Structures are given as C-alpha cells and as structure tokens.
Amino acid sequence: MAATPIADDRIDRMGFLLMLRRRGITDREVLRAMDEVPREHFVSPEYVATAYTDRAMPIACGQTISQPYVVAYMTERLAVGRDHRVLEIGTGSGYQAAVLSRLAREVVTVERFRTLAQTAQIRFETLGYSNIALVVGDGMEGVADHAPFDRIIVTAAAETVPPALLEQLAEGGVMLLPLGPLRSSQSIMRLTKKEGGIQKERLIAVRFVPLLSGKAKEL
Ligand code: SAH
C-alpha cells in the first residue's frame, strides 16, 4: 500500500512539538495548546514558511512575537487551570494570548499599540477564540474592572514590578514577568501571592522588548 503523503506543514508541526518536548516542556495540556494554535496566523507574511522554527520574529510597530519555547515555558510555569481568569500584558501578535485561551476560562490581554490590537482581534475572530477580551491601553495599570486575576503574565520586560498588577492578583495567584535591565537580558520571575506576602522565584534568563508606560502614539 502506498504511504499516505503528509503535508509539509504537518511535518513542521510534528517537529515543533518534538522540539518543545526535547527542550523540557512536559505538561500535556500545554503541549496540546501549543499544537492547537496555528503559529503561521500570528507571524508576518514573510515568516509564514518558517513559523514553526524556535525563534522570536519581528512584527509591526517594532515589536516581536516571542520564541515558541519561551511561550511554552512561561505557560507551563504559570500553571493555568481550566477555571482561571488570566491577564496578559503585551498582546503583540496575540500568539501567547491564543495559547492561554486554550487552557483558561477567560483571557484579558492588553496592548498599547492599537494597530497590533486590531490585527490580533481579527486573528482571534478568524480562529474562533471567543474567550479573549482585548484592551488597548497601558498594561502597567492592569485592568481594574476585570480584577482580580488568578494568573498574570507580562510579556514585556520591566525593571520593577508594576504595583497595580500585584494588587490585581488574586490571593493564591501567580504572576510571571521578565524582570531586569531593559537593554540586556532579564530573568523570568515567578511571584506567588500568599497570606499577605509575595513569594519570589527566579527562573530562566530571557530577552524581551521593554514594557513602556502609556498608550502608544501611532501615526
Ligand atoms: N505576547 C506577545 C509578544 C509581545 S512583545 C506575542 O505573543 O506575540 C511585547 C508587547 O508588549 C509589544 O507589543 C508592546 O507594544 C507591548 N507593551 C509594552 N509595554 C506595554 C504596556 N505598558 N501596556 C501594554 N502593552 C505593552
């Protein structure tokens, strides 16, 4: 019997999951979510053919779509539950929010560039990801009307933890953010809110674009 040909993109996507597993991602739900979200919808047209390579890529407004390994790693460390409400700061392409939406009850994602937010919104609608609420604004302020959040993930680098985000984290909640100097590499910090205090853990070294205050001025 002749072998059934496998479409090229399927081979890429099988390689993608193997790569994530080899790099240490073991959570089955996270791997399922990474498998489910078509990354080629979130990259710029010139990167569609290489959408499943493990690299960050430039998107509009001088920003980047994060490296898939970092998305999977942060998602795994965030330990998202089915009934969780998650806040993401830095929508960018929308890819991280899309992955989170496959695991959580609801995702609220904030972007300071209207152009990026509009493109991401179209992607969410096309893919039928209806449990994502997109907000254009300054994510450093969080989204008070939707607080508290069980999980918060910041996908832009900060030098200090924005106080509004800590306030909007639920008791027992977990927040992940890249913390450190903006011009070099940062560490992913995991903060857990417990009994009136904050437990801190330093995870891997990363390099993210900076978290900037205020809404972006666009031409
Ligand atoms: N999570 C994204 C990658 C984000 S790149 C993805 O999966 O593609 C970081 C994003 O954070 C950029 O789009 C940048 O504009 C945005 N950003 C930076 N500071 C911000 C702020 N204060 N509020 C909201 N978004 C911010």
Side-chain angles (χ1 to χ4, degrees), residues 72-187:
Y73 177 84
M74 289 180 79
T75 306
E76 189 173 70
R77 289 295 169 273
L78 199 60
V80 181
R82 285 228 156 271
D83 60 342
H84 281 165
R85 300 184 56 250
V86 182
L87 173 66
E88 181 201 24
I89 309 304
T91 313
S93 69
Y95 182 66
Q96 172 76 74
V99 170
L100 291 168
S101 78
R102 303 302 84 204
L103 297 162
R105 175 152 63 96
E106 189 195 355
V107 177
V108 178
T109 179
V110 188
E111 173 54 55
R112 61 191 290 278
F113 281 99
R114 186 172 295 280
T115 307
L116 291 176
Q118 282 168 342
T119 312
Q121 183 65 45
I122 292 167
R123 290 170 178 151
F124 300 151
E125 281 166 20
T126 305
L127 293 166
Y129 297 165
S130 55
N131 60 338
I132 307 175
L134 213 154
V135 177
V136 179
D138 181 1
M140 283 199 191
E141 303 299 329
V143 184
D145 342 344
H146 286 65
F149 297 96
D150 304 296
R151 298 289 184 264
I152 299 180
I153 178 171
V154 182
T155 61
E159 282 181 311
T160 55
V161 182
L165 297 184
L166 268 186
E167 267 166 42
Q168 293 173 26
L169 186 63
E171 175 61 27
V174 175
M175 171 163 150
L176 242 65
L177 83 167
L179 205 65
L182 302 185
R183 302 272 157 242
S184 59
S185 80
Q186 306 95 29
S187 299

